[in-house]
Amino acid sequence: MPSVEVLRVTGGRRLSGEVRLSGAKNSVLKLMAATLLAPGTSVISNVPEILDVEIMGELLRRLGCEVAHNPEKATVTITVPERPDHRADYDLVRRMRASICVLGPLVSRVGAADVALPGGDNIGSRGLDMHVDGLRRMGADVTSEHGYLLAHSPGRLVGAETWLDFPSVGATETILMAAVLAEGTTVIDNAAREPEIVDICEMLQAMGARIDGVGTSTLTIEGVEALQPVSHATVPDRIVAGTWAVAAAITQGDITVRDARADHLSIALEKLGTAGAQVDILDDGFRVRMDRRPAAVDIVTLPYPGFPTDLQPQFIALNSVAEGAALVTENLFEARFRFVQELARLGAEVRTDGHHALVRGRSALSGAPVEATDIRAGAGLVLAGLVAEGTTTVYGVGHIDRGYAGFVPALRSIGADVVREEVSEA
Ligand code: EPU
């Protein structure tokens, strides 16, 4: 009988102790793709131990790169050939949507990119129109055929003025990576400002790119003819950091998060303060303590520096056991409330209407089998399981593993009763 992995979380333990962060999933994959922009050997450090890093490594290998991952040193060394291949196949793209981030570097470096279309996923339809529009403005010919996005540029791309309808993280990255090698100036107005965008800008600058306005909504890029390989450390994962912060608050515990950037998490930490937690900012991270039942907190997800959508499920979990009611508004991904149905299996009282969810706090949840539908839903369900009476069995562990390196050992080290088990699939 085929078996699947589950997490068995037995609730009721107060978590207390220290955890250390590694680099951000949502940065490292783009940094790896950005190495395509320069022939030679680049080294990325502070790399998290997650499956997506392996998938991106495999994608780069198929493009002709040599990729060596050293988990002990948390580095990935990538040697990029003079002329990489330009096709990203569906078998990899379907496993990792972020594969699309090779689009920009390939068009600007080799004049062509054939990238399988990722399609929708569990959190929504996730369009690519702004990526395509940006590349077209720079002179690329972009079509879609047989499930592939085909982008070609007979000569060098040409800098252009672009204005994003919405500060999309992915579109900002695609246009940025195309623009650094284009001829002339590109302006990206209404650009995303996430710390992961700043991270990639800093890496590109160290490679020789000329970018102004880093960290603001207007990026101005002066194209250069060639870039050099680089050594660059990945920015710490603010979403993993925020997940630990909620773990402290929901279990009425005391967690210190090291190697973190508290300034990348200001709104979320402030919300925890409103919920009744004591938050101390440290030189290398922060500490969150909670000594009572949390108070409900309203949340509105927005592009950075607004409240991150990737922490929304974790805060719904917190609100589900809080005192009072909270209104949670999701503005980025239409299907992110899917996990609410799973949370309801634990007894949470949540009503959704379009992109709003009304969460009425319960004094207790009760453990049950649940299914993680995406990475952050998985984190939210584990957090809820930590305070539910009895045992919560979380299916869909593969989703959690994609975003949370060493999650189970770290949880156990601070007192959680969590085990990973194989169970047979009925
Ligand atoms: N959108 C379009 N057209 C586009 C681009 C985006 O309609 O051309 C829409 C999307 O459909 C979505 C919204 O704009 O509704 C936001 O998309 P964005 O491009 O900002 O997000 P992304 O680049 O696809 C990254 C992270 C997400 C994170 C978002 C927002 C990676 C690999 N993914 O996605 O992370 O939620 O930014 O911060 O960087 C996660 O880690 O769990 C995760 C989903």
Side-chain angles (χ1 to χ4, degrees):
M1 206 181 293
S3 64
V4 288
E5 283 194 321
V6 297
L7 298 187
R8 286 207 202 279
V9 187
T10 303
R13 302 271 192 100
R14 179 177 178 272
L15 302 195
S16 159
E18 233 178 72
V19 291
R20 252 172 217 290
L21 285 190
S22 48
K25 167 184 87 81
N26 287 348
S27 203
V28 72
L29 304 173
K30 327 305 173 59
L31 302 180
M32 289 174 74
T35 64
L36 286 168
L37 290 161
T41 302
S42 288
V43 181
I44 314 287
S45 55
N46 201 25
V47 171
E49 267 303 285
I50 52 173
L51 181 64
D52 283 13
V53 166
E54 301 304 326
I55 299 176
M56 183 55 85
E58 180 55 28
L59 176 50
L60 293 176
R61 274 188 206 106
R62 290 203 206 162
L63 293 170
C65 304
E66 279 168 39
V67 182
H69 181 190
N70 184 330
E72 275 86 55
K73 290 193 181 151
T75 57
V76 175
T77 304
I78 301 164
T79 303
V80 178
E82 277 303 326
R83 190 166 170 90
D85 292 334
H86 64 271
R87 189 174 164 89
D89 279 319
Y90 185 57
D91 66 321
L92 289 179
V93 177
R94 64 183 276 275
R95 291 172 69 196
M96 187 184 69
R97 208 180 181 282
S99 306
I100 197 73
C101 66
V102 298
L103 177 65
L106 287 178
V107 190
S108 63
R109 177 83 205 291
V110 297
D114 299 352
V115 181
L117 285 164
D121 58 18
N122 284 334
I123 58 173
S125 54
R126 303 181 78 176
L128 292 173
D129 49 312
M130 290 183 267
H131 301 242
V132 171
D133 184 60
L135 293 178
R136 282 191 178 139
R137 279 172 192 269
M138 283 191 265
D141 173 32
V142 190
T143 54
S144 142
E145 249 172 51
H146 304 300
Y148 276 74
L149 202 61
L150 309 174
H152 292 269
S153 168
R156 215 173 143 194
L157 290 172
V158 182
E161 302 242 333
T162 58
W163 200 93
L164 301 181
D165 289 338
F166 174 91
S168 150
V169 170
T172 303
E173 288 163 346
T174 294
I175 300 169
L176 173 68
M177 288 194 268
V180 286
L181 288 177
E183 192 178 337
T185 308
T186 298
V187 179
I188 312 176
D189 231 326
N190 201 24
R193 291 186 277 164
E194 270 69 4
E196 294 76 29
I197 299 280
V198 173
D199 199 24
I200 195 172
C201 284
E202 287 175 351
M203 170 165 147
L204 293 169
Q205 285 172 322
M207 293 171 84
R210 293 171 59 191
I211 309 169
D212 261 358
V214 175
T216 75
S217 309
T218 307
L219 292 172
T220 306
I221 303 120
E222 200 68 54
V224 296
E225 281 194 18
L227 295 170
Q228 294 80 49
V230 72
S231 289
H232 182 87
T234 315
V235 69
D237 198 312
R238 66 195 162 99
I239 305 303
V240 174
T243 303
W244 288 121
V246 177
I250 200 169
T251 66
Q252 301 185 30
D254 179 354
I255 301 180
T256 298
V257 184
R258 301 275 180 204
D259 300 334
R261 290 278 305 264
D263 57 323
H264 290 166
L265 210 56
S266 305
I267 293 200
L269 292 178
E270 254 173 51
K271 287 283 175 190
L272 290 178
T274 309
Q278 160 86 37
V279 179
D280 300 308
I281 307 299
L282 312 173
D283 287 345
D284 64 342
F286 57 85
R287 176 179 181 188
V288 177
R289 282 175 278 175
M290 185 74 140
D291 56 12
R292 62 181 171 87
R293 185 176 169 198
V297 280
D298 291 340
I299 301 294
V300 179
T301 69
L302 283 172
Y304 191 83
F307 188 93
T309 173
D310 291 345
L311 284 177
Q312 179 258 92
Q314 297 88 320
F315 271 74
I316 289 197
L318 180 74
N319 279 321
S320 72
V321 292
E323 201 143 7
L327 185 63
V328 176
T329 305
E330 171 58 53
N331 287 316
L332 277 89
F333 293 119
E334 72 239 34
R336 222 166 203 170
F337 285 148
R338 261 181 211 171
F339 108 105
V340 161
Q341 286 152 22
E342 297 299 310
L343 200 62
R345 294 181 48 71
L346 304 179
E349 211 184 315
V350 189
R351 270 181 49 199
T352 58
D353 183 5
H355 61 136
H356 299 294
L358 180 65
V359 191
R360 290 199 177 87
R362 303 278 306 259
S363 55
L365 300 178
S366 68
V370 287
E371 171 98 36
T373 45
D374 72 82
I375 305 173
R376 313 302 169 190
L381 292 169
V382 170
L383 292 176
L386 290 172
V387 289
E389 283 164 5
T391 299
T392 297
T393 305
V394 185
Y395 288 78
V397 176
H399 287 297
I400 302 175
D401 290 341
R402 291 188 48 199
Y404 292 87
F407 198 36
V408 171
L411 278 165
R412 290 173 65 87
S413 76
I414 55 173
D417 185 349
V418 183
V419 287
R420 183 189 280 267
E421 268 177 24
E422 294 231 344
V423 295
S424 54
E425 220 169 10

